[in-house]
Amino acid sequence: MTHPTRRTVMAGAAGLAALKAGGAFAQAASGPVALNIIDVAGNLQLTQAAIERFGKDNPKLISRLNFSRAPSPELPGKLKAQQAANRVDIDLVLTGPGAMSDGIQQGLWVDVWKSHAASLPKAEEIYHEQALMMQRNFGQNEGVAVVYSPSGPLFEYAPDRLKTVPKTAEDLLAYVKQNPKRFTYARPVNSGPGWTWLQGLPYILGDSDPSDPMKGWDKSWAYLKELGTGIDYYPGGTAATMKELGEGTRDVIVSTLGWDINPRALGIVPKEAKVFVLDKTHWIPDTQFMCIPKGTAAEKMPALLALMSYMLKPEAQAFTFDKGYFYPGPAVKGVTLAQAPQESRDVLAEFGRPEYDKLIETLPTRPPLTPERLVAAFRRWDQEVGVGHGAPQ
């Protein structure tokens, strides 16, 4: 555990004692605090409005909110350096499973569910079943799940160009080989749709152990290599695949719930684009978390814990429907679209799909790979599948 800076030692001792008594005294002693919040997952698009509302409604807790964004892979190293120097200037991190898992392995986060359980709601009482699975598997004691999407894998296509929709993995393979360069997906390490497709395929193909990419994915690796014979290149990120579908250079791409709805709402992909799922599809969900770095000043803890608790309330969760970017969005039980802001309701009425709620209800959900195995899967894909399929010069 990193020690607080000298300036906070006295306040820290008082603050920690007060936290045990509910945090009120720590706040009275130190007055409102400025919070520095960093987003490494695109999460502020879903949560910033609710965070700002909390700040505005609680001037006695929060004097200022400072938001910044950074690439996910850079964060653990940056935090580690700050902690080693006893100069942590990041109070709250908004992250996907990647940087959060790295941080858990490196011991970077405060174990809030353990050390500050009294200041947070009970996970099993508030989260819906799938979000609770992600909280337990990935968030553990350190991450607080704040948004959830069943994610994918889905396939998005132009109905005027794809007349016979593939129903099985075999159908898709036959289509791609007969229609080279009309299908692609982005490099999985840097793409939500690519990530879910890579992890979802072993379930679709009935591989021997979908949780083990090194020993249990024989069918999947063979399939991906054969599929690659009809793919000219794998773009470096999802946005490029959406652009190509929109421009007409691709007829079919891999997608997710959010990547289907949001780019159509933004006009990048035609509204008329449709989606399909393959037989035996299992959802590979995506979740984003709130984490507090070790070494955060003790007098900031009451405000941070109050903010975290507020973000799990239905009124804050209703903002996460957004413009379908992480559809549906809410991680807690019983939050409906009717509670969302009018703009979210309008966008989802126009660009959402009635079939999604049925698919979310009926398709099974499986957890993503553990962080170490996910890294191994990405590396193997890069070495065996993506090799020789770089972007055109």
Side-chain angles (χ1 to χ4, degrees), residues 199-343:
Q199 295 177 83
L201 183 61
Y203 293 100
I204 293 168
L205 295 179
D207 244 325
S208 64
D209 184 356
S211 72
D212 188 347
M214 301 316 280
K215 298 194 181 112
W217 284 20
D218 292 355
K219 291 178 185 173
S220 295
W221 293 120
Y223 181 94
L224 288 168
K225 286 174 200 169
E226 199 175 345
L227 193 69
T229 62
I231 295 172
D232 50 341
Y233 84 104
Y234 301 99
T238 314
T241 68
M242 296 289 154
K243 194 162 168 276
E244 291 183 6
L245 180 67
E247 289 169 348
T249 51
R250 304 285 173 186
D251 299 340
V252 189
I253 58 171
V254 178
S255 193
T256 57
L257 294 169
W259 273 103
D260 164 43
I261 297 170
N262 197 246
R264 285 188 304 119
L266 298 174
I268 296 160
V269 172
K271 188 178 171 181
E272 300 71 40
K274 286 190 159 35
V275 294
F276 65 86
V277 294
L278 297 176
D279 284 356
K280 303 187 179 70
T281 289
H282 293 56
W283 295 115
I284 306 293
D286 201 357
T287 305
Q288 294 175 348
F289 300 85
M290 304 179 283
C291 300
I292 300 175
K294 287 180 181 174
T296 294
E299 70 261 24
K300 294 192 179 191
M301 288 301 287
L304 286 165
L305 293 163
L307 172 60
M308 282 178 153
S309 293
Y310 169 75
M311 293 304 294
L312 301 177
K313 288 187 188 308
E315 61 266 32
Q317 287 280 305
F319 281 103
T320 66
F321 281 99
D322 182 58
K323 297 182 184 70
Y325 164 67
F326 211 75
Y327 187 82
V332 307
K333 290 188 271 210
V335 182
T336 65
L337 185 56
Q339 295 164 274
Q342 188 62 47
E343 189 185 10

Side-chain angles (χ1 to χ4, degrees), residues 70-147:
S72 177
E74 290 176 10
L75 184 78
K78 182 178 176 176
L79 266 181
K80 210 165 181 160
Q82 288 188 5
Q83 288 170 342
N86 284 344
R87 294 181 71 90
V88 175
D89 65 6
I90 295 166
D91 304 315
L92 185 68
V93 176
L94 305 170
T95 173
M100 191 202 55
S101 300
D102 280 353
I104 288 176
Q105 287 175 322
Q106 295 181 44
L108 304 183
W109 312 124
V110 174
D111 56 355
V112 286
W113 289 106
K114 213 164 157 186
S115 304
H116 303 290
S119 302
L120 295 170
K122 288 189 165 54
E124 62 279 7
E125 288 175 11
I126 55 154
Y127 289 125
H128 56 69
E129 189 187 343
Q130 292 83 1
L132 187 60
M133 172 191 78
M134 293 296 285
Q135 174 60 54
R136 292 200 161 134
N137 283 14
F138 287 87
Q140 299 177 32
N141 285 316
E142 290 87 352
V144 176
V146 66
V147 290

